[in-house]
Amino acid sequence: MTENLFKDEVVANQFNDYNDVLEQVLGYNFVLSILKSTQAKKILDYGCGPGKVSLRLANQLSADIVAVDESAKMIEIAKRERKHQQIDYKIVKKDNLDFISDNSVDGAIACYVFINNQSEQRILKIMREIYRTLRPNSHFIILDTNPNTTGVPFSTFQNGEPGKSYSYGEERVEKLNLDSQEKLILHDFNWPNRMYETNLK
């Protein structure tokens, strides 16, 4: 299994410096609008990274946020730079949310989490664990890069090489453009829509 690069301090700091304005416009605003409409009181942010989305949620919703990540470096950054009285940052170990009771969360999000996992079996395990924590009829919102835009260069990032056809779950290079003119090179995986649909069912 590929090691989680976000556990590395340098990578965690670079990712924290990444300007996610495009993700805000194309994705986070949609996530926020759904959660606002549900009037959720407790929200799980699975794979919160340095807390950027968690802080957006806390600033716009009157909800408590349980923000979890397996990278201690990411949680350290989040606690230092995005502290908020409504956010409880926690390190998740072995994909286990044993500190959250069954049916106790009003909504959950996983933003750019599953594209960074090479094991479909692990993705399903995480989905099941999140589902366990959710109250009946609450929302679980997944935000990942559109698999149909693989290889398309955007202003701030590019997933995969142009013109290359990737197989199911194949590793691909992800390039994030940093303000320092550097590129943060990561590795994600090509999961088509049917992977999400099948496992969510």
Side-chain angles (χ1 to χ4, degrees), residues 1 10 12 58 70 72 97 101 118 132-133 146 153 163 174 177 182:
M1 179 174 287
V10 173
E70 69 173 354
L97 298 170
S101 302
Q118 70 177 132
R132 177 190 65 76
T133 71
N146 184 339
E174 178 183 6
N177 301 328
E182 289 181 86

Side-chain angles (χ1 to χ4, degrees), residues 17-69:
D17 291 339
Y18 171 67
N19 185 347
D20 63 355
V21 62
L22 195 59
E23 287 82 355
Q24 171 71 34
V25 172
L26 297 178
Y28 301 149
N29 287 337
F30 176 72
V31 170
L32 280 162
S33 69
I34 292 176
L35 292 172
K36 276 183 182 177
S37 70
T38 66
Q39 299 181 331
K41 297 301 181 189
K42 184 177 181 181
I43 298 169
L44 170 64
D45 181 0
Y46 193 99
C48 67
K52 294 179 181 181
V53 179
S54 296
L55 186 60
R56 288 178 172 105
L57 293 174
N59 285 336
Q60 297 190 45
L61 304 173
S62 57
D64 292 323
I65 316 298
V66 182
V68 307
D69 201 282

Side-chain angles (χ1 to χ4, degrees), residues 174-186:
E174 178 183 6
K175 300 173 184 175
L176 303 184
N177 301 328
L178 305 179
D179 290 340
S180 62
Q181 304 303 312
E182 289 181 86
K183 288 188 186 296
L184 174 55
I185 306 299
L186 302 172

